[in-house]
Amino acid sequence: MTEVWGIPTAIVISASSPVSSSQPESDDYLVQQCLQGNKQSFGQLYQRHQTKVRSTLYQLCGLDGLDDLVQDVFLRAWKGLSKFKRNAQFSTWLYRITWNVACDRRRAYAKDRARSVAVDDEQLQNFTDPEFAGQGSDRNHGLAQLHYQDLVQRGLMQLSIEHRTVLVLHDLEELPQKEIAQILGIPVGTVKSRLFHARSSLRKFLESQGVEL
């Protein structure tokens, strides 16, 4: 069987195809089917979870190389599926892999931190380009939103990977603190503490950039 990024082609094809069942199968059932040799079931897992994985990786690592990071997560999941403990949720296990991929990325690019958090020059030019002046409140509102999103991303990159991960998983991905504790292998109390400090640090950064909260 041919492979794409190390994942059998059947998985990639089924991931891009609509699921025919009117009632989606549970993650546990699909995992069981995968372990029995049904590779298409992993395609359904990919289709179901890839958006969340991509969103989390974007918030943790930025846009550069995002596609490769997503592929890395699912490749690791595919190769390690036999080690998945059935008493855990597949999504929790997958988030754990996502966290590991993000940490590996951060270690590999630690020396490039300044470059990864820099504001895109062309985007900054758009904020001051005379061509955009006087085109109405809608245009100004759109630029303000873009600017705010960029500031949030920059603020996230100022945090440690531990604080940033807790903030992203809880406030952006809306995972409960108990599940975050399971993903990261830390006590719930530590999750609460990191979340408090992450929110405080992000708030201070945004206020220092002139954002009123």
Side-chain angles (χ1 to χ4, degrees):
M1 179 178 292
T2 59
E3 296 184 350
V4 176
W5 294 93
I7 303 177
T9 304
I11 292 176
V12 179
I13 294 174
S14 61
S16 61
S17 303
V19 178
S20 58
S21 175
S22 58
Q23 184 175 0
E25 305 290 356
S26 67
D27 283 352
D28 284 343
Y29 176 81
L30 293 175
V31 168
Q32 183 179 3
Q33 291 297 303
C34 289
L35 294 175
Q36 293 177 359
N38 186 341
K39 297 178 175 62
Q40 284 79 6
S41 293
F42 193 80
Q44 291 180 250
L45 290 170
Y46 179 94
Q47 185 182 45
R48 181 175 297 174
H49 294 285
Q50 67 94 12
T51 299
K52 285 287 188 180
V53 168
R54 177 177 293 274
S55 173
T56 301
L57 286 171
Y58 170 71
Q59 299 297 341
L60 294 179
C61 300
L63 187 60
D64 187 31
L66 183 58
D67 289 339
D68 290 343
L69 294 177
V70 174
Q71 292 290 349
D72 192 10
V73 168
F74 284 98
L75 180 58
R76 293 190 191 189
W78 168 251
K79 290 183 175 180
L81 200 58
S82 61
K83 301 178 183 179
F84 171 61
K85 296 180 179 179
R86 299 293 299 280
N87 61 340
Q89 290 186 2
F90 176 79
S91 59
T92 300
W93 181 70
L94 190 62
Y95 268 119
R96 178 67 183 180
I97 296 175
T98 304
W99 154 254
N100 288 334
V101 168
C103 286
D104 289 347
R105 172 59 177 254
R106 293 298 299 167
R107 283 191 290 266
Y109 285 86
K111 294 182 179 180
D112 295 332
R113 180 181 178 87
R115 180 182 60 83
S116 67
V117 301
V119 180
D120 184 85
D121 290 339
E122 182 178 353
Q123 183 172 306
L124 275 179
Q125 182 179 356
N126 287 341
F127 292 142
T128 57
D129 194 330
E131 179 183 343
F132 287 89
Q135 294 188 10
S137 59
D138 288 343
R139 170 72 71 180
N140 292 335
H141 177 72
L143 290 177
Q145 284 294 103
L146 182 61
H147 184 49
Y148 179 74
Q149 291 172 6
D150 174 73
L151 286 176
V152 170
Q153 185 66 22
R154 289 173 58 197
L156 287 173
M157 290 299 180
Q158 303 298 316
L159 304 177
S160 69
I161 187 65
E162 293 81 10
H163 286 167
R164 190 189 323 152
T165 299
V166 170
L167 185 65
V168 168
L169 292 179
H170 188 273
D171 287 3
L172 301 182
E173 299 300 329
E174 300 181 345
L175 296 184
Q177 293 180 4
K178 183 177 180 180
E179 184 174 353
I180 296 173
Q182 293 173 347
I183 292 169
L184 302 180
I186 58 178
V188 174
T190 303
V191 173
K192 293 180 179 179
S193 175
R194 290 182 182 178
L195 184 60
F196 173 82
H197 289 291
R199 286 172 171 171
S200 177
S201 296
L202 182 59
R203 183 182 299 109
K204 289 179 180 178
F205 173 81
L206 293 176
E207 289 176 345
S208 72
Q209 301 298 312
V211 178
E212 296 184 4
L213 300 174

